[in-house]
Amino acid sequence: MANPLYDALFAPHEGRGTPFLHLADGTIITHADFLEQVSQMANALSALGVVPGDRVAVHVEKSPEALALYTACVKSGAVFLPLNTAYTLAELSYFVEDSGAALFLCDPFELNAVTDIAKATGAILHSLGAKGDGTFMDLARVQLTHSDVAERKADDLAALLYTSGTTGRSKGAMLTQANLLSNAQALVEAWQFTDRDVLLHALPIFHTHGLFVATNTLLLAGGSMIFLPKFDLGTVLRLMPQATTMMGVPTFYTRLLDDARFTAEIARHMRLFISGSAPLLAETHIQFEQRTGHRILERYGMTETNMNTSNPYNGERRAGTVGFALPGVEVKICDPETGAMLPQGEIGVLEVRGPNVFKGYWNMPEKTREELREDGFFITGDLALIDADGYVQIVGRGKDLIISGGYNIYPKEIELFLDTQPGVRESAVIGAPHSDFGESVVAVLVPQAGMSLDLDAIKDAVRENLAGFKRPRVIDVMDDLPRNTMGKVQKNQLRERYAGVFQS
Ligand code: MCA
Ligand code: AMP
């Protein structure tokens, strides 16, 4: 029976006593131990009636067990649907409902709170805790340590990852086995990963970066990971001398540089630092090289496409660029209006085609048609150019998007929420430069005529309904929003006005 992703990433490690995960307390989990737990979990999924193609929605803390659950889904043919741990209950219900998840796994502490969501959607509810606790783990522990590998075709779904949209409604990106496998293969080749690599893993595992880019690549190469619950500067500094590589968002790199303990000596054993998910400032690139002698390798990707381009492993890693198309991937720059390919050097919308490009949006055929062309090119919404040497530069975004510490925030979603607050006539949400997060959120509220706004009540409502990283750090009140003659809100004017609001 074939299951391309399991067969390539996991099956080769069955029974191997080689280290896979190094935990912060010194514990080592071998490939064999990990995969035995995976089998128990796969058997637990079957015991719960989960069949190939069923979605498994997962809102749990990062842990080896959470990673084993991803693997168990691959092995049993279920579609893994990871959810940001910062999501509030109000946000969670949409994903569980929209995906039609058969099983919803939450953290033990929120089991009672999410019961209504599970009931309303018909999902079976279980819990999985960061310490290997929870009802699902109780069930898994009594299962056999062998399980069958479900048959899957290359085009079958392996994961459903939700990405917010400019219309405010999140879209589920359908990622196939072939999408994930082809990208892992391209990255092992491009970044020269081998079984000698030890990756310092401090990213969350509910997004493409920490889950697929980091984990799948290391699994395919046969290396191991120092697997940390989150990016804690002290722990990262302590363990870096044992690693060979790190993947991070730009905030990881600026935080390291802000700490005098981060020296060339600590980074001596490293062969590669990779950055992505948000633009890395050229200044960070330069300072990093001055401090450590390493040139950070910047790459560019999206939830819908996995990784598209990368600076070269050998050759010049050019600051302010995201390098060249990965093996097997095509990129082109197109006119935003006509879709026609633009001459080299001109700025347009970046389009991408390749085995990495997703299958479409879950239950949204129209959205899929708008963004995924019939010839297979996906319209990223990122504005880019290709320079004379072929390096891709992301110069802006055609989509209204804020990236804060590597998390995408769609202003529309926050505006729609703010507009429902008592006394608010309308709102505008923008990103302003932030020294730690790259960008952070500013909201401008316009009161209804004659009303005054209760900002404390609005902040409380925001806290209850929106994940912490989406919360506006500044909320301001204006009589009117700046508009052009067509009546369109001039966000550029607002961005200029608030450009210094987070600069100390
Ligand atoms: C946490 N907080 C944030 C963020 N993270 N606020 C704004 N932006 C953020 N990114 C807030 C919390 O709500 C909380 O607020 C306070 O900061 C402390 O929370 P804590 O979790 O302790 O924060 P932290 O440890 O300092 O986290 C910052 C971080 C983290 C390490 C940068 O956000 C992170 O790991 N980011 C990586 C995101 C990522 O993996 N992106 C990849 C997406 P309060 O105190 O008010 O409650 S995949 C992708 O984009 C594509 C495919 C790609 O190309 O990779
Ligand atoms: P996501 O929706 O989380 O998949 O985020 C994808 C978006 O992150 C892309 O469309 C880009 O706007 C942005 N992005 C990812 N990597 C980079 C990078 N290296 N430089 C600039 N933007 C990036």
Side-chain angles (χ1 to χ4, degrees), residues 86 202-204 206-210 213 230-232 249 251-252 255 276-278 299-304 306-307 403-409 436-437 439-440 463 467-471 473:
L203 287 158
F206 44 71
H207 275 312
T208 296
H209 197 164
V213 184
K230 59 180 290 203
F231 184 85
D232 173 73
V249 295
T251 301
F252 285 19
R255 286 190 183 178
S277 308
R299 58 60 175 179
Y300 156 77
M302 280 184 84
T303 302
E304 289 91 334
N306 287 281
M307 298 304 99
I403 305 185
S404 170
Y407 288 139
N408 286 10
I409 301 163
D436 186 29
F437 292 129
E439 289 180 283
S440 199
R463 197 173 297 280
F469 66 91
K470 298 180 194 168
R471 267 178 232 148
R473 295 285 193 270

Side-chain angles (χ1 to χ4, degrees), residues 214-276:
T215 306
N216 287 352
T217 302
L218 265 289
L219 277 159
L220 189 66
S224 63
M225 302 193 282
I226 299 175
F227 198 67
L228 305 176
K230 59 180 290 203
F231 184 85
D232 173 73
L233 191 56
T235 314
V236 167
L237 288 168
R238 175 168 70 83
L239 296 174
M240 190 178 285
Q242 296 166 32
T244 63
T245 48
M246 185 175 89
M247 296 182 191
V249 295
T251 301
F252 285 19
Y253 294 105
T254 51
R255 286 190 183 178
L256 282 169
L257 286 169
D258 281 345
D259 196 304
R261 291 173 298 172
F262 181 57
T263 58
E265 181 54 26
I266 280 189
R268 194 171 54 83
H269 189 234
M270 298 289 280
R271 74 168 178 89
L272 184 60
F273 290 93
I274 302 168
S275 178

Side-chain angles (χ1 to χ4, degrees), residues 111-378:
L111 196 55
N112 286 337
V114 299
T115 305
D116 286 346
I117 298 179
K119 271 201 192 126
T121 60
I124 304 169
L125 181 61
H126 269 277
S127 63
L128 191 162
K131 296 189 177 71
D133 49 333
T135 58
F136 182 73
M137 291 310 297
D138 294 342
L139 181 64
R141 242 178 245 112
V142 297
Q143 305 293 321
L144 295 175
T145 53
H146 291 278
S147 70
D148 292 337
V149 184
E151 170 132 18
R152 295 265 87 189
K153 291 194 271 310
D155 194 38
D156 283 333
L157 295 197
L160 187 61
L161 262 62
Y162 277 81
T163 129
S164 305
T166 40
T167 54
R169 239 186 109 203
S170 285
K171 303 167 285 183
M174 298 191 285
L175 295 159
T176 66
Q177 287 231 334
N179 292 151
L180 302 184
L181 181 54
S182 68
N183 216 233
Q185 286 163 337
L187 297 179
V188 168
E189 181 186 333
W191 299 338
Q192 303 196 5
F193 273 90
T194 72
D195 59 2
R196 291 185 302 284
D197 272 305
V198 181
L199 179 86
L200 190 49
H201 192 304
L203 287 158
I205 54 168
F206 44 71
H207 275 312
T208 296
H209 197 164
L211 185 60
F212 304 135
V213 184
T215 306
N216 287 352
T217 302
L218 265 289
L219 277 159
L220 189 66
S224 63
M225 302 193 282
I226 299 175
F227 198 67
L228 305 176
K230 59 180 290 203
F231 184 85
D232 173 73
L233 191 56
T235 314
V236 167
L237 288 168
R238 175 168 70 83
L239 296 174
M240 190 178 285
Q242 296 166 32
T244 63
T245 48
M246 185 175 89
M247 296 182 191
V249 295
T251 301
F252 285 19
Y253 294 105
T254 51
R255 286 190 183 178
L256 282 169
L257 286 169
D258 281 345
D259 196 304
R261 291 173 298 172
F262 181 57
T263 58
E265 181 54 26
I266 280 189
R268 194 171 54 83
H269 189 234
M270 298 289 280
R271 74 168 178 89
L272 184 60
F273 290 93
I274 302 168
S275 178
S277 308
L280 184 77
L281 293 179
E283 169 193 319
T284 310
H285 198 279
I286 293 161
Q287 276 180 21
F288 200 88
E289 185 176 14
Q290 283 167 350
R291 180 87 64 91
T292 65
H294 284 280
R295 287 179 76 82
I296 299 173
L297 183 153
E298 186 172 7
R299 58 60 175 179
Y300 156 77
M302 280 184 84
T303 302
E304 289 91 334
T305 63
N306 287 281
M307 298 304 99
N308 298 318
T309 73
S310 171
N311 268 282
Y313 185 77
N314 295 311
E316 187 195 349
R317 296 176 197 165
R318 199 171 278 186
T321 82
V322 292
F324 311 105
L326 283 164
V329 178
E330 295 168 76
V331 294
K332 61 178 182 177
I333 309 295
C334 297
D335 184 307
E337 305 300 327
T338 65
M341 195 169 153
L342 292 172
Q344 183 272 316
E346 286 193 19
I347 295 175
V349 174
L350 190 143
E351 296 193 11
V352 56
R353 179 165 71 179
N356 54 318
V357 173
F358 75 142
K359 202 173 173 173
Y361 294 114
W362 178 257
N363 280 343
M364 289 188 179
E366 274 178 30
K367 272 272 153 223
T368 303
R369 269 194 300 276
E370 276 169 29
E371 296 181 30
L372 191 56
R373 296 187 189 281
E374 268 178 19
D375 63 4
F377 272 98
F378 174 65

Side-chain angles (χ1 to χ4, degrees), residues 91-106:
E91 290 166 310
L92 279 180
S93 59
Y94 170 77
F95 303 109
V96 182
E97 189 184 340
D98 185 70
S99 65
L103 174 65
F104 179 22
L105 281 160
C106 68

